[in-house]
Amino acid sequence: MPELPEVEYVARQLRGSIVEATIDNVLVFWERTIGHPDVPLFLNQIAGCRIEGVRRRGKHLILDLDNAHFLSIHRRMTGNLLLLPPGWVLDTSLREADPVAWETKGPSIYKETEPSNAKSSYCRVCFNFSDGRRLLYTDPRKFGLIELWPRADEQDVFSELGLEPLSEDFTVERLACVLAKRKSPIKQVLLAQKGVAGIGNIYADEALYHAQIHPLRPADSLTPEEVERLRAGIVSVLLLGIEHGGTSFTDYRDLWGEAGDNYSHLLVYDHDGQECKRCNSIIKRIVVAQRGTHFCPGCQPPPHPRAR
DNA sequence: CTATAAACCTGCTGGC
DNA sequence: TGCCAGCAGGTTTATA
């Protein structure tokens, strides 16, 4: 669920809170969350590092470290980052008490003054800072990945990612160039990350609605005017998402555990059966490339006459 | 090469 | 109320 706006929003929160903090050590509760290198080397290379900066590339959150490496955090579906002030307890007693439940729930967490308020954290990785704060990576479904790479390898690590939609590179010419090479439905191309990075299922639907383009239109069939409308739509829905602190369904929370407010500003995603605010048609839901896809049949004309 | 399906996981929802 | 099938923000890998 975290798409570009949710990653960017948390990146900004981290930039204001953990730059110059020092990582004493890291606890890993689910080893497969560490995608690179292997866990022992990961732990060894990260202990004692200072965080120099926070960036974002597509849906990857990047922490630059003072040992010429960077951390790349991809939250996939249900990953979240939670910054705990000093005075919180990570209780790992479940590990021995109920190993099966431990694998799913992770350590329980509570304020040391309120041990009765303990709850499962789904914490997979915990970064312990020298000032007593903790950065938790939580992820019920365990799809997310945290990787540590030498900064010199950054080009290779992100070589599959396309244009950054909020950068100066995201021009109508470049977008047109990317789309002209793809015959697949435009929705699928937007989700693929290779042409444009950072757009996921929610913002793809919202951007296509904004641009009044049907999700099944072949990417290479867009007119120059439509490409410009799509560019503007992408930028606009992403900026709006960031402005509202991201879109929260059930899982997404920001660095302080707060839900984002953007759900109430969505116009088509999860709105099937409701009236389009632009033309009053009933918004439909179809499946494109195995993903639920929402659009307005009134103002997003289909690719073929009479096509659904 | 492309298109579709399955896999990775758990929690939640809706139908019966 | 209870159970079970199906579905979810993402991406990679296998199969056809």
Side-chain angles (χ1 to χ4, degrees):
Chain A
M1 68 113 7
E3 306 181 29
L4 187 152
E6 291 76 30
V7 180
E8 178 65 27
Y9 190 72
V10 170
R12 291 179 186 184
Q13 293 182 315
L14 282 168
R15 203 171 291 138
S17 55
I18 64 158
V19 173
E20 307 212 336
T22 297
I23 301 170
D24 267 356
N25 58 72
V26 178
L27 306 173
V28 175
F29 303 115
W30 181 255
E31 300 219 343
R32 272 181 272 178
T33 297
I34 306 302
H36 181 92
D38 60 57
V39 172
L41 190 53
F42 178 92
L43 296 177
N44 190 33
Q45 290 192 129
I46 201 171
C49 280
R50 194 170 54 88
I51 294 169
E52 289 186 329
V54 181
R55 297 179 286 137
R56 181 192 55 73
R57 177 75 172 97
K59 300 173 189 171
H60 294 79
L61 178 70
I62 301 172
L63 303 183
D64 286 306
L65 307 178
D66 66 353
N67 64 348
H69 284 62
F70 66 89
L71 274 172
S72 163
I73 302 174
H74 195 304
R75 293 141 67 192
R76 294 280 178 95
M77 299 278 268
T78 57
N80 274 318
L81 288 165
L82 185 65
L83 187 61
L84 297 181
W88 281 71
V89 176
L90 276 194
D91 179 354
T92 61
S93 58
L94 188 62
R95 178 158 27 199
E96 286 73 35
D98 187 344
V100 175
W102 161 259
E103 297 246 311
T104 300
K105 309 281 189 187
S108 60
I109 57 171
Y110 55 89
K111 254 188 218 173
E112 60 189 7
T113 53
E114 303 175 35
S116 58
N117 264 345
K119 60 174 185 181
S120 292
S121 61
Y122 300 94
C123 178
R124 308 308 177 195
V125 178
C126 169
F127 299 84
N128 289 318
F129 292 109
S130 59
D131 58 14
R133 291 183 298 169
R134 292 188 159 112
L135 181 63
L136 305 191
Y137 176 74
T138 66
D139 190 356
R141 289 176 73 178
K142 304 171 176 171
F143 289 169
L145 291 174
I146 299 180
E147 303 179 344
L148 182 69
W149 293 97
R151 216 170 295 175
D153 293 350
E154 182 167 338
Q155 294 285 64
D156 296 328
V157 172
F158 298 125
S159 63
E160 299 289 295
L161 290 182
L163 300 169
E164 270 300 323
L166 300 185
S167 76
E168 295 176 352
D169 289 344
F170 193 54
T171 60
V172 66
E173 292 82 9
R174 298 225 184 176
L175 180 58
C177 181
V178 159
L179 299 184
K181 295 174 191 153
R182 315 289 319 191
K183 295 188 165 81
S184 309
I186 182 64
K187 166 75 185 270
Q188 193 180 332
V189 171
L190 291 180
L191 291 179
Q193 309 302 305
K194 291 185 91 160
V196 183
I199 301 171
N201 209 30
I202 296 176
Y203 296 98
D205 285 1
E206 293 296 315
L208 289 170
Y209 173 79
H210 184 109
Q212 305 190 46
I213 295 168
H214 192 287
L216 286 176
R217 290 277 305 281
D220 62 0
S221 75
L222 301 203
T223 67
E225 291 73 25
E226 287 173 326
V227 174
E228 169 52 23
R229 290 212 305 270
L230 181 56
R231 188 206 60 76
I234 290 169
V235 171
S236 141
V237 300
L238 294 179
L239 289 177
L240 201 68
I242 297 169
E243 190 182 320
H244 295 127
T247 304
S248 291
F249 271 82
T250 54
D251 295 308
Y252 166 72
R253 293 295 181 273
D254 70 10
L255 192 56
W256 320 120
E258 302 290 325
D261 190 37
N262 197 237
Y263 183 86
S264 59
H265 297 268
L266 300 180
L267 296 177
V268 280
Y269 188 88
D270 201 33
H271 282 225
D272 42 312
Q274 301 176 34
E275 274 190 21
C276 166
K277 293 199 173 147
R278 196 161 47 203
C279 76
N280 299 327
S281 303
I282 300 300
I283 291 164
K284 286 188 68 171
R285 181 186 189 275
I286 59 175
V287 174
V288 179
Q290 287 86 245
R291 315 289 255 105
T293 297
H294 314 74
F295 70 101
C296 170
C299 44
Q300 292 170 270
H304 310 296
R306 306 202 185 288
R308 302 195 294 132

